[in-house]
Amino acid sequence: MLNLVRRRVRTAALTLSTIAALALGATAPTGAAAAPAPAPKKQGPTSVAYVEVNDHSMLNVGKYTLANGGGNVFDVAVIFAANINYNTDTKTAYLHLNENVQRVLDNVATEVRPLQRKGIKVVLSVLGNHQGAGFANFPSQQAASAFAKQLSDTVAKYGLDGIDFDDEYAKYGANGTGQPNSSSFVHLVTALRANIPDKIISLYNIGPSASRLSYGGVDVSSKFDYAWNPYYGTWQVPRISLPKSKLSPAAVEIGRTSQSTAAGLARRTVREGYGVYLTYNLDGADRSADVSAFTRELYGSDAVYTP
């Protein structure tokens, strides 16, 4: 059965610790990444794995290789998730890292760098947190740019490979915040791309932000590296002006989407010429059977799990 209901709610207590940390600005990356060893070449779409770090280790992403050739199954690993929170005293949005996300970032030398050394990109997903702050309701360009700086400072500080936007659970209007407007996300993405010109910016294609990509003659679609379907077990082409090579109409939840559905979505990805395949909720179990269901279609190879 198609899994149409997403289960990615994450709440966190309002704290000011992240503001204080980010106010210091970007510093040298913690446990700076060594140059990645050349990964065995792999022909086929880019595979993406979201990891719920409240429950699972980022290192799971690096445990899967292709039986034929030994290449990484996954090319992009997403830390899920940081939050956009709202400070009711200053009436500003700020980046909040819950204790599990902070743990990953504090331990990048052992949680992130091993993936990067294998050639896997690691990006931080940012999600609403029921407090009224979202990517689509910054009241000014200055406010959007200030939040973009918090994001880029975090990428620089921890040596990450980019930012993923997931506009869910913002609860626009809470705490006296505004409703989505047409300029907010355009200003935010424009500022972030200027700050991290060579890093990944991806769009989880859901929420008010996903339909507000153009303002004042500026269309930020081309500023994204990837966009993907947010509904697991389904096929839905993101409505954004990007080439097929940067889109994932397929989305699967590993362990919940059936292997036959995952295989069918992968087969369609290849047949229709799309360049990305999205997976969610990779855990610590041996999921090689689930993963092989799509790698056989994407890459002509089973997946091998190495604990």
Side-chain angles (χ1 to χ4, degrees):
M1 179 178 292
L2 298 185
N3 178 20
L4 297 176
V5 180
R6 299 185 56 249
R7 300 170 177 81
R8 296 159 37 119
V9 182
R10 281 294 179 266
T11 58
L14 180 65
T15 70
L16 300 180
S17 59
T18 305
I19 300 175
L22 291 171
L24 299 176
T27 60
T30 305
K41 295 296 183 182
K42 179 181 76 174
Q43 298 296 321
T46 296
S47 288
V48 181
Y50 277 82
V51 178
E52 290 259 18
V53 296
N54 283 5
D55 306 309
H56 307 298
S57 170
M58 291 301 297
L59 295 178
N60 294 328
V61 181
K63 295 179 179 179
Y64 293 87
T65 55
L66 296 175
N68 298 339
N72 298 318
V73 166
F74 298 106
D75 305 287
V76 180
V78 184
I79 301 169
F80 189 80
N83 296 106
I84 178 171
N85 276 13
Y86 189 68
N87 185 323
T88 55
D89 293 327
T90 62
K91 300 188 185 308
T92 56
Y94 69 96
L95 180 65
H96 172 74
L97 309 174
N98 73 25
E99 60 182 5
N100 295 299
V101 172
Q102 188 66 65
R103 172 186 50 77
V104 171
L105 298 181
D106 286 343
N107 293 281
V108 288
T110 55
E111 292 283 328
V112 172
R113 299 295 177 252
L115 300 180
Q116 292 175 323
R117 284 194 290 270
K118 292 181 178 183
I120 299 169
K121 301 293 186 182
V122 181
V123 306
L124 179 65
S125 186
V126 186
L127 178 70
N129 203 12
H130 310 276
Q131 298 182 3
F135 313 129
N137 69 344
F138 287 105
S140 67
Q141 183 173 4
Q142 180 181 17
S145 295
F147 188 72
K149 187 175 188 303
Q150 292 183 47
L151 296 177
S152 58
D153 283 353
T154 300
V155 168
K157 179 177 181 179
Y158 297 106
L160 302 178
D161 296 299
I163 292 292
D164 174 65
F165 287 112
D166 184 347
D167 190 7
E168 298 180 276
Y169 313 120
K171 199 175 180 180
Y172 288 104
N175 291 314
T177 57
Q179 292 299 315
N181 64 64
S182 57
S183 64
S184 176
F185 195 47
V186 172
H187 289 322
L188 176 60
V189 174
T190 299
L192 182 62
R193 177 49 78 201
N195 293 350
I196 54 170
D198 301 318
K199 299 288 187 176
I200 291 170
I201 303 178
S202 57
L203 177 66
Y204 199 84
N205 191 51
I206 199 168
S209 295
S211 61
R212 291 169 168 81
L213 301 177
S214 180
Y215 173 76
V218 176
D219 189 318
V220 294
S221 298
S222 63
K223 298 184 185 301
F224 290 96
D225 293 277
Y226 305 111
W228 29 71
N229 170 19
Y231 299 106
Y232 303 118
T234 75
W235 177 273
Q236 179 176 287
V237 180
R239 294 183 178 179
I240 179 173
S241 298
L242 285 174
K244 283 185 171 184
S245 61
K246 296 186 176 185
L247 297 177
S248 180
V252 302
E253 182 172 356
I254 295 175
R256 297 189 69 93
T257 302
S258 72
Q259 292 177 20
S260 61
T261 297
L265 291 171
R267 194 158 48 246
R268 187 172 179 182
T269 297
V270 173
R271 184 175 68 245
E272 298 191 17
Y274 287 94
V276 189
Y277 189 86
L278 177 69
T279 75
Y280 167 66
N281 206 25
L282 183 66
D283 60 20
D286 179 354
R287 298 291 182 181
S288 55
D290 294 303
V291 174
S292 292
F294 61 81
T295 60
R296 282 192 291 267
E297 304 296 336
L298 296 177
Y299 313 117
S301 174
D302 282 336
V304 176
Y305 172 78
T306 304

